[in-house]
Amino acid sequence: MGQAADKLMALVADPDRFTFAADELRETQVAALDERLQERRGSIKLLALRARDAGIERIGTIADVVPILFPHTAYKSYPESYLMDGRWDRLTKWLRTVSAYPIEGVSLDGIAGIDDWIARLAERGHFISCSSGTTGKAAMLIASQKDMNWSKVDTVNVFSWGSGVAPARDRQLVGCAPVATVPKNATIAQAQYDAFANPDWPRWNYPVPPITVGSLTSMVVMRKKIAEGTARPDEIAAFEETSAERGRAVADALPATAQFIIENRYRKLQVSGLWNGLWQVAKAVRDAGYGREDFHPDNSIYVGGGLKRAQLPADYQEYVFETFNIAPERHFQNYSMQELNSGMPRCREGGRYHVPPWIVPILLDKAGDAALDHTCGEMEGRAAFFDLSLDGRWGGVITGDRIALDHGPCACGNQGPSIRDDIARYADLEGDDKIGCAGTVDAYVRGVA
């Protein structure tokens, strides 16, 4: 990687990495963006097309990179028929349009399904992580071994900074939610265990069947068939039975997880999950007669994501903290997404998500077509990021999030860029979300693939 990017990424373990103001970082970040363009335009087909049509030869300002950012929908621009019909050769060809490295030597014979295809790619050093795809096509994000190695380091540093928990290997890790079985999630989970868990205490994984990309994709396809009236009676019966089995597993997982926590309440716990699952487990613990006074005083919590449309009481956070005896300084929240390779931890004093130096935040207009004139203070807009740590694909992405980005100092004392803790999805705010360049990118990829 380039000299400027390496300089920024070298700060990954620096405890003062969030103290650098946006003005201090800008010159190095612009140089790093240009390095990435020169390095990748010859290897990522979609990037080459975008740069050619936009007339982008070099990056001289942060705004210059906007025409060659990829909308987050670019990673789900493959024709859905490739999945439904098992056209693994076509899907692999599509993947080559967004990969930074050639995809060669992958055996496509006798593939049983998408999970098998993902495993074959991993054998050749191409790691596919996918969005859940529960309401539509899954985004498929390719990563390299370098990306996996970076995630191991970043997840530990981010959690330690945001929670104040040192990687002392003295905790009992407890998962209070099912997690999608994709390489990135598995890498992060193992790194967390290796850094924070007592090695004599196995991690408690929420006891439900693995959530694989194949199982999610099958669910989406079946729902579409049912809606379209094309599903056969035997397919509907099998789908309903699978759904019922999963429902029973989830119903059993909740009391089992609560019982495990109760039995290990004397240990220093690190509980993790989404708010809905955490609240339900907390309620089961309370219903069993246990609460704050029964738990270790130095427990910690790792919350991923927001409510995800779950309907919970207004005091759901306080309820969880009170149940598990979580002090405010041990509450960790992180802003990130599958499209990025790094996290933005929430500080405890200012309640803001802090952007590390190797992530370049860019505020765009609602359509995602142009950068807003934002050099100081706080401003709202569509979030775009360039993650300089990404190696296996292009690091620039236009998200579906509305954020408030501040270039001023935070109450926690750090001077670097930070994001207000009220992030919202445009799709949730308005029922739909259209990024201006998404249609063009989709046409590019389909043409190349």
Side-chain angles (χ1 to χ4, degrees), residues 254-270:
L254 180 60
T257 301
Q259 184 60 33
F260 179 85
I261 289 174
I262 291 168
E263 291 174 355
N264 292 278
R265 61 190 181 277
Y266 60 90
R267 292 177 174 174
K268 196 182 295 186
L269 301 179
Q270 179 174 309

Side-chain angles (χ1 to χ4, degrees), residues 91-99 103 117 121 128 142:
L91 197 57
T92 303
K93 188 176 181 181
W94 167 82
L95 193 62
R96 291 189 183 114
T97 66
V98 293
S99 174
I103 301 176
W117 178 69
L121 287 163
I128 309 300
I142 189 166

Side-chain angles (χ1 to χ4, degrees), residues 3 25 66 70 79 99 103 129 188 204 212 224 280 336 359 374:
Q3 185 177 7
L25 296 170
V66 173
F70 292 178
S99 174
I103 301 176
S129 290
I188 288 174
W204 173 267
T212 68
K224 286 190 174 183
Q280 290 191 52
S336 191
I359 291 184
H374 179 220

Side-chain angles (χ1 to χ4, degrees), residues 173-243:
L173 271 58
V174 182
C176 295
V179 179
T181 307
V182 294
K184 183 177 179 180
N185 289 350
T187 296
I188 288 174
Q190 188 60 49
Q192 287 277 324
Y193 182 84
D194 292 342
F196 299 106
N198 183 316
D200 295 328
W201 301 342
R203 174 187 169 90
W204 173 267
N205 294 308
Y206 205 64
V208 295
I211 302 177
T212 68
V213 177
S215 64
L216 290 169
T217 302
S218 297
M219 179 182 67
V220 171
V221 169
M222 197 60 216
R223 283 177 174 173
K224 286 190 174 183
K225 282 187 174 183
I226 293 173
E228 294 166 356
T230 60
R232 300 191 311 269
D234 62 311
E235 289 179 322
I236 295 174
F239 175 72
E240 290 176 345
E241 176 57 26
T242 299
S243 299

Side-chain angles (χ1 to χ4, degrees), residues 53-277:
D53 286 6
I56 302 294
E57 295 293 334
R58 61 178 298 275
I59 303 298
T61 68
I62 288 177
D64 289 344
V65 81
V66 173
I68 53 175
L69 298 174
F70 292 178
H72 65 93
T73 53
Y75 297 102
K76 56 177 73 176
S77 61
Y78 56 89
E80 198 165 22
S81 60
Y82 291 178
L83 273 183
M84 296 179 69
D85 300 336
R87 298 297 305 273
W88 310 115
D89 56 337
R90 293 286 184 177
L91 197 57
T92 303
K93 188 176 181 181
W94 167 82
L95 193 62
R96 291 189 183 114
T97 66
V98 293
S99 174
Y101 295 100
I103 301 176
E104 299 171 342
V106 179
S107 174
L108 301 177
D109 296 332
I111 291 180
I114 188 171
D115 294 331
D116 193 11
W117 178 69
I118 289 173
R120 301 276 185 96
L121 287 163
E123 290 172 358
R124 305 296 299 179
H126 307 290
F127 303 95
I128 309 300
S129 290
C130 303
S131 63
S132 62
T134 53
T135 57
K137 284 197 298 185
M140 296 194 187
L141 300 133
I142 189 166
S144 68
Q145 185 61 58
K146 285 185 179 179
D147 292 324
M148 295 295 103
N149 294 342
W150 177 269
S151 290
K152 291 178 185 178
V153 175
D154 184 69
T155 186
V156 172
N157 290 334
V158 163
F159 180 78
S160 191
W161 187 91
S163 67
V165 174
R169 307 192 74 187
D170 60 350
R171 294 179 180 268
Q172 171 68 63
L173 271 58
V174 182
C176 295
V179 179
T181 307
V182 294
K184 183 177 179 180
N185 289 350
T187 296
I188 288 174
Q190 188 60 49
Q192 287 277 324
Y193 182 84
D194 292 342
F196 299 106
N198 183 316
D200 295 328
W201 301 342
R203 174 187 169 90
W204 173 267
N205 294 308
Y206 205 64
V208 295
I211 302 177
T212 68
V213 177
S215 64
L216 290 169
T217 302
S218 297
M219 179 182 67
V220 171
V221 169
M222 197 60 216
R223 283 177 174 173
K224 286 190 174 183
K225 282 187 174 183
I226 293 173
E228 294 166 356
T230 60
R232 300 191 311 269
D234 62 311
E235 289 179 322
I236 295 174
F239 175 72
E240 290 176 345
E241 176 57 26
T242 299
S243 299
E245 288 177 358
R246 183 156 193 88
R248 289 191 290 270
V250 170
D252 292 340
L254 180 60
T257 301
Q259 184 60 33
F260 179 85
I261 289 174
I262 291 168
E263 291 174 355
N264 292 278
R265 61 190 181 277
Y266 60 90
R267 292 177 174 174
K268 196 182 295 186
L269 301 179
Q270 179 174 309
V271 295
S272 63
L274 302 176
W275 278 119
N276 186 38

Side-chain angles (χ1 to χ4, degrees), residues 209-413:
I211 302 177
T212 68
V213 177
S215 64
L216 290 169
T217 302
S218 297
M219 179 182 67
V220 171
V221 169
M222 197 60 216
R223 283 177 174 173
K224 286 190 174 183
K225 282 187 174 183
I226 293 173
E228 294 166 356
T230 60
R232 300 191 311 269
D234 62 311
E235 289 179 322
I236 295 174
F239 175 72
E240 290 176 345
E241 176 57 26
T242 299
S243 299
E245 288 177 358
R246 183 156 193 88
R248 289 191 290 270
V250 170
D252 292 340
L254 180 60
T257 301
Q259 184 60 33
F260 179 85
I261 289 174
I262 291 168
E263 291 174 355
N264 292 278
R265 61 190 181 277
Y266 60 90
R267 292 177 174 174
K268 196 182 295 186
L269 301 179
Q270 179 174 309
V271 295
S272 63
L274 302 176
W275 278 119
N276 186 38
L278 288 162
W279 184 85
Q280 290 191 52
V281 172
K283 186 176 186 304
V285 170
R286 290 276 191 104
D287 290 346
Y290 296 90
R292 173 185 285 277
E293 64 279 3
D294 300 302
F295 287 91
H296 196 285
D298 194 27
N299 287 345
S300 57
I301 188 169
Y302 189 137
V303 181
L307 287 175
K308 305 294 184 184
R309 299 177 180 172
Q311 300 298 313
L312 296 178
D315 66 343
Y316 67 94
Q317 292 192 20
E318 292 78 9
Y319 187 88
V320 171
F321 298 152
E322 281 287 331
T323 302
F324 299 126
N325 200 10
I326 308 290
E329 62 270 18
R330 290 292 185 259
H331 170 207
F332 174 77
Q333 283 190 277
N334 184 44
Y335 177 44
S336 191
M337 57 200 71
Q338 288 285 357
E339 290 82 1
L340 299 179
N341 202 32
S342 305
M344 293 170 266
R346 183 179 181 271
C347 70
R348 298 180 291 282
E349 296 84 2
R352 302 182 67 87
Y353 297 104
H354 286 263
V355 186
W358 57 89
I359 291 184
V360 184
I362 310 165
L363 274 187
L364 305 180
D365 61 4
K366 181 182 172 184
D369 293 329
L372 301 179
D373 184 14
H374 179 220
T375 56
C376 63
E378 185 178 74
M379 183 180 289
E380 284 191 355
R382 181 183 290 274
F385 299 101
F386 199 105
D387 188 342
L388 293 160
S389 74
L390 271 166
D391 176 69
R393 62 182 184 272
W394 188 231
V397 63
I398 302 172
T399 79
D401 293 347
R402 187 194 70 186
I403 66 169
L405 178 66
D406 196 345
H407 286 315
C410 177
C412 70

